[in-house]
Amino acid sequence: MNERDVLDIIDVLQVFCAGDGRFGNTLGVVRDARRYPDRASRQARADELGYSETVFVDDEERGVVDIYTPGLRLPFAGHPLVGTAWLLDLDAVRPPAGEVWARHDGEFTWITARAEWAPPRQLVQYASPAEVDALPAPPPGEGWLYAWAWEDEAAGRVRARAFPRRDDCIAEDEATGAAALLLTDRLGRALNITQGQGSQILTAPGPDGIVEIGGRVRLARPAVSASASAEAEPALGSSGRIAPLRRAERSRLPHAVTMP
C-alpha cells in the first residue's frame, strides 16, 4: 500500500434515502483534501471514483468544502451539502457559492440555500408520473433535464427524474437537491419529491429566494483507504448501489437513520 492509499480517506454516503433507508444518491467525502491541492487533482479523483458528486473537505471545523462531479466543479449542489453536514455534524457548510446553514431534525438533515446558487436546469413538467417513469435514461436532447409530474398536487407530492445529459458516466442522477431547490422556488410551495428509483427529498420555500432542502442520510461505507475501498467493491449490488452496513458498523454516528 503506497502513501496515497494510506491517507486518501473516503466516506461513502447515500443521501435523500427513502423512509426504509433504501435508495439515495451516492456521495464520496474526502475528509482530508490536502492530498488534492488543486482543481486538476480533485477533478481527476472525482472522475476516478465515478460518484454523482465527490466532496473535498478543506476545513472540517468551518465546513469549507469543494464539490466535483466526474466531469466538472460545482459552486453548489444539494445532496453533497446535506450529506456532508450530516457526516460532520455541522451547523453550516461553506461551498464556493456561499454559506449554507444546516440543521438536524430527527431523521432529517436540512440545508438552507438560495435559488440563484443552483446551476441552470430544464424543469419540464409531464402530464403524469407514468410518463416520467417511461423516459429512457437519458432522454434524447441536450442540456440538464429535470422531468417531473404531480403525484398529488394538493398534497405537494411530486414524481421526478433527473438527467445531466453531459459527457460523463452519470446517465441519471438519483436524487438532486439543486433541481428540487429550483422547482420549489418556481412553484413557491413545499414539496415532497420522489426521485429516481425511490429517493425522497423534502423542500420548503422561504423569503427572498431562500429554500430549505431536507432528507435522510445513511453511511454506506465508513472511511477506508483508497485501496481498501477498491477491495470493497464486491459489496455493490447488481443495481450498482452500495449495500447497507450492519447496524453495529454504523453506531459511531449518533444521528444515523434507523434501518429495518
Side-chain angles (χ1 to χ4, degrees):
M1 183 181 297
N2 61 36
E3 182 182 9
R4 173 181 151 176
D5 290 340
V6 172
L7 296 179
D8 187 9
I9 305 302
I10 300 169
D11 288 281
V12 181
L13 311 179
Q14 297 295 113
V15 184
F16 297 132
C17 298
D20 60 5
R22 294 185 302 155
F23 309 114
N25 205 356
T26 306
L27 174 68
V29 180
V30 180
R31 295 202 191 204
D32 187 358
R34 291 175 296 178
R35 297 298 301 169
Y36 303 93
D38 53 37
R39 290 181 59 172
S41 61
R42 295 181 182 191
Q43 187 65 76
R45 187 63 177 130
D47 180 59
E48 181 182 9
L49 289 169
Y51 302 138
S52 179
E53 274 95 7
T54 299
V55 169
F56 296 84
V57 181
D58 287 307
D59 187 328
E60 185 166 326
E61 291 187 2
R62 297 180 57 244
V64 178
V65 298
D66 204 10
I67 308 167
Y68 290 79
T69 75
L72 71 157
R73 183 178 187 242
L74 299 176
F76 170 86
H79 100 271
L81 298 178
V82 170
T84 303
W86 177 86
L87 179 69
L88 303 181
D89 200 18
L90 297 170
D91 294 324
V93 193
R94 295 172 173 86
E99 188 172 66
V100 175
W101 294 101
R103 66 182 178 91
H104 310 281
D105 179 16
E107 62 181 340
F108 293 95
T109 294
W110 297 82
I111 62 168
T112 301
R114 303 195 64 84
E116 62 261 30
W117 291 347
R121 301 283 189 260
Q122 298 178 39
L123 307 179
V124 179
Q125 183 178 3
Y126 287 76
S128 69
E131 290 189 19
V132 174
D133 291 339
L135 292 171
E142 298 181 357
W144 218 108
L145 172 67
Y146 196 63
W148 70 279
W150 289 114
E151 286 188 330
D152 184 337
E153 185 171 359
R157 295 180 59 84
V158 169
R159 173 71 178 120
R161 293 175 66 193
F163 306 99
R165 295 195 296 197
R166 61 193 177 215
D167 188 20
D168 62 23
C169 60
I170 308 300
E172 179 169 356
D173 204 332
E174 173 63 25
T176 170
L181 166 66
L182 291 173
L183 184 62
T184 303
D185 182 63
R186 173 182 291 184
L187 298 177
R189 57 178 297 184
L191 300 175
N192 182 344
I193 301 171
T194 299
Q195 187 181 318
Q197 295 192 48
S199 303
Q200 184 181 27
I201 306 171
L202 302 180
T203 68
D208 301 323
I210 291 292
V211 174
E212 198 170 35
I213 310 162
R216 303 175 188 87
V217 186
R218 70 174 172 87
L219 182 65
R221 188 167 62 222
V224 292
S225 71
S227 57
S229 174
E231 293 171 0
E233 287 305 313
L236 290 170
S238 60
S239 66
R241 284 183 173 73
I242 299 167
L245 297 176
R246 293 184 295 274
R247 188 181 302 275
E249 294 174 310
R250 294 183 289 107
S251 60
R252 69 185 181 88
L253 292 176
H255 47 281
V257 175
T258 300
M259 301 286 289

